[in-house]
């Protein structure tokens, strides 16, 4: 029996409450690049308090601010700042808080482009990045000495290890470091890291916050002083602003976030449990299964996890090719189910390769279980796995048949 997830009592009310946006049930999009004024005095007053008065949409826009305020409330944060992509939020956070000579400690199996930022541009700027197993608290404690930022994901990308956020945030505080976490996997429906001592929370809003695969966006929320520093140093200079239309789409998508996450939770666990018993699958990396690392701060599970194939990389490729309802694609968090074979992540010419650096196996397939009927999804997955059964493959090989 699939356990029900736990979502805060006020969550559903917050996602539909457009605070300060009175009038239409659906607030209009303030689709403008600039705002005009009736007098120099009014113009001057706006310049003296730009955090409250819209002047230019790259700084403040009512539609964008509605999204930021809503996410800050959901994450129990003081404030938030949104961006045109998840990497926009990650880059502004790290570059806004770090200087030449600083050190950032990051958990292994982090989002690939975060790894590339830390080992590429940040390295060229003289910022040291140290990667450590996030489940090894002693190793994190040693590495955190002298660090400015402790960067976390829980669950981690690809391997889906669940980390002890209260312990890790305490280690960061002891080291005088700022704790930052990418919370895209769980969304604020299933994990609110600030309640467990984390300073800043980042989301690729393209994922579950949007839920419709029609928006690319990011956001960081947390302590007011840290958001103010990101605004002062990086936000305006990097220019990765969120457009009003994308903010409007995000607000629309978040209205159904609690219902969608419940469905992802149920369907994902159902499929993961069946995969764990399938002879073609050697391992299932889903935090909700008893064979996984177990939960700490998670109150539910999203639909993203990974499997490994007994037949190795060839079997993973055949499995993905045989899928019909589940589609092949990058990203996740939308309504559709997706598969991504790790072997594609291992072949990126001319780029620093985190899959290779972290030892991601080429027989691994990442699955995102979407909102389709769970039995339709299972029939599709089961039929595709039939192409990868080790016994069937051996029988076909003995008969001279290539599958």
């Amino acid at each position: 029996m699939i356990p029900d997830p736990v979502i805060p009592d006020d969550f559903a009310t917050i996602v539909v409450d457009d605070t300060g946006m009175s009038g239409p049930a659906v607030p209009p999009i303030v689709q403008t690049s600039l705002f005009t004024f009736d007098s120099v005095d009014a113009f001057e007053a706006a310049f003296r308090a730009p955090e409250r008065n819209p002047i230019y949409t790259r700084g403040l826009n009512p539609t964008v601010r509605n999204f930021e305020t809503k996410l800050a409330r959901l994450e129990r944060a003081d404030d938030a700042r949104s961006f045109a992509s998840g990497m926009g939020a990650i880059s502004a956070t790290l570059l806004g808080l770090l200087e030449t000579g600083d050190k950032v400690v990051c958990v292994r199996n982090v989002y690939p482009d975060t790894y590339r930022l830390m080992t590429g541009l940040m390295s060229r700027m003289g910022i040291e990045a140290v990667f450590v197993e996030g489940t090894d608290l002693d190793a994190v404690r040693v590495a955190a000495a002298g660090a400015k930022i402790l960067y976390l994901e829980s669950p981690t990308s690809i391997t889906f290890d669940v980390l002890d956020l209260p312990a890790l945030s305490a280690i960061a505080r002891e080291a005088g470091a700022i704790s930052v976490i990418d919370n895209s996997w769980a969304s604020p429906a299933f994990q609110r890291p600030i309640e467990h001592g984390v300073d800043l929370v980042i989301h690729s809003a393209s994922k579950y916050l949007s839920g419709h695969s029609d928006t690319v966006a990011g956001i960081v929320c947390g302590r007011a002083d840290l958001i103010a520093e990101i605004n002062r140093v990086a936000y305006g200079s990097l220019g990765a602003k969120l457009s009003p239309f994308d903010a409007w789409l995000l607000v629309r998508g978040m209205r159904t976030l609690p219902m969608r996450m419940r469905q992802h939770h149920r369907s994902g666990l159902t499929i993961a449990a069946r995969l764990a018993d399938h002879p073609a699958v050697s391992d299932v990396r889903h935090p909700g299964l008893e064979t996984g690392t177990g939960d700490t701060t998670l109150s539910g599970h999203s639909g993203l996890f990974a499997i490994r194939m007994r037949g190795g990389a060839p079997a993973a490729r055949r499995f993905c090719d045989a899928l019909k309802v589940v589609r092949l694609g990058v990203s996740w968090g939308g309504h559709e189910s997706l598969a991504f074979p790790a072997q594609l992540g291992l072949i990126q010419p001319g780029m620093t390769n985190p899959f290779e650096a972290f030892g991601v196996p080429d027989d691994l397939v990442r699955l995102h279980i979407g909102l389709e009927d769970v039995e339709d999804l299972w029939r599709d997955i089961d039929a595709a796995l039939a192409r990868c059964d080790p016994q069937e493959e051996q029988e076909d090989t003995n008969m001279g048949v290539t599958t």
Side-chain angles (χ1 to χ4, degrees):
M1 183 176 178
I2 303 299
D4 289 331
V6 177
I7 298 177
D9 292 339
D10 62 350
F11 201 90
T13 300
I14 293 173
V15 295
V16 300
D17 178 22
D18 298 303
T19 303
M21 305 284 284
S22 60
V26 178
I29 307 169
V30 183
Q31 188 68 41
T32 183
S33 61
L34 59 90
F35 298 83
T36 61
F37 300 87
D38 294 332
S39 68
V40 174
D41 285 345
F43 206 178
E44 180 183 4
F47 261 87
R48 292 187 181 282
E51 72 282 358
R52 296 193 304 273
N53 299 288
I55 299 172
Y56 189 58
T57 283
R58 183 159 58 88
L60 179 64
N61 176 281
T63 308
V64 174
R65 192 58 185 158
N66 186 30
F67 166 60
E68 293 169 343
T69 300
K70 194 182 296 287
L71 200 282
R73 292 176 66 194
L74 292 175
E75 284 285 10
R76 306 330 194 217
D78 296 335
D79 201 357
R81 173 59 79 182
S82 56
F83 297 84
S85 69
M87 278 310 300
I90 293 168
S91 299
T93 299
L94 295 176
L95 299 180
L97 298 175
L98 294 168
E99 299 178 358
T100 298
D102 283 342
K103 179 174 78 169
V104 55
V105 174
C106 180
V107 297
R108 288 172 56 84
N109 294 302
V110 73
Y111 177 58
D113 283 336
T114 303
Y115 174 86
R116 294 188 184 100
L117 172 66
M118 291 181 178
T119 58
L121 178 61
M122 287 170 51
S123 177
R124 290 170 59 184
M125 296 172 62
I127 298 170
E128 179 187 8
V130 176
F131 296 90
V132 64
E133 291 291 348
T135 55
D136 187 339
L137 296 181
D138 289 336
V140 175
R141 186 173 289 104
V142 171
K148 180 73 173 294
I149 285 178
L150 175 61
Y151 192 94
L152 311 169
E153 285 186 12
S154 184
T156 54
S157 292
I158 297 296
T159 54
F160 301 99
D161 295 315
V162 178
L163 307 185
D164 187 340
L165 297 190
L168 288 166
S169 62
I171 289 172
R173 283 193 300 275
E174 292 167 5
I178 300 164
S179 53
V180 181
I181 187 170
D182 185 330
N183 195 36
S184 303
W185 185 92
S187 88
F190 293 154
Q191 184 169 249
R192 291 157 301 283
I194 290 171
E195 295 180 340
H196 304 285
V198 176
D199 296 312
L200 289 172
V201 178
I202 292 174
H203 287 272
S204 172
S206 319
K207 309 300 194 290
Y208 288 118
L209 297 183
S210 166
H212 290 75
S213 297
D214 56 6
T215 306
V216 176
I219 190 166
V220 57
C221 58
R223 281 170 33 195
D225 61 319
L226 296 177
I227 298 298
E229 184 68 0
I230 293 167
N231 285 336
R232 185 184 71 83
V233 176
Y235 174 71
S237 300
L238 295 179
K241 76 167 188 66
L242 181 65
S243 75
F245 182 60
D246 283 330
W248 184 87
L249 288 174
L250 287 162
V251 169
R252 177 215 57 181
M254 287 170 62
R255 298 188 197 286
T256 60
L257 181 61
M259 292 76 80
R260 288 189 285 106
M261 294 307 293
R262 287 189 180 97
Q263 187 62 45
H264 288 302
H265 169 92
R266 288 191 291 265
S267 295
L269 278 170
T270 297
I271 298 294
R274 294 178 185 179
L275 286 168
D277 292 331
H278 200 285
V281 177
S282 64
D283 187 27
V284 178
R285 299 293 303 176
H286 188 300
L289 297 183
E290 291 183 358
T291 54
T293 54
D295 293 353
T296 52
T297 56
L298 294 171
S299 63
H301 302 89
S302 70
L304 188 72
F305 60 95
I307 61 174
R308 293 187 65 183
M309 308 299 298
R310 290 194 189 279
R317 196 178 192 93
R318 287 198 303 274
F319 167 68
C320 290
D321 280 341
L323 292 168
K324 303 299 182 185
V325 178
V326 179
R327 289 177 276 175
L328 303 183
V330 298
S331 196
W332 42 271
H335 54 277
E336 73 284 7
S337 293
L338 295 168
F340 178 79
Q343 54 194 264
L344 296 186
L346 287 164
I347 51 168
Q348 297 188 28
M351 301 180 71
T352 303
N353 197 313
F355 278 34
E356 184 177 24
F358 294 144
V360 176
D362 60 5
D363 61 359
L364 183 144
V365 177
R366 188 185 69 188
L367 292 173
H368 176 253
I369 304 303
L371 301 179
E372 303 92 342
D373 179 79
V374 70
E375 296 305 328
D376 287 341
L377 289 172
W378 177 246
R379 280 189 288 270
D380 183 43
I381 292 170
D382 191 38
L385 286 170
R387 299 286 305 277
C388 309
D389 187 288
Q391 182 176 351
E392 177 181 302
E393 182 181 355
Q394 184 61 47
E395 290 172 355
D396 288 342
T397 300
N398 292 339
M399 293 187 293
V401 177
T402 301
T403 58

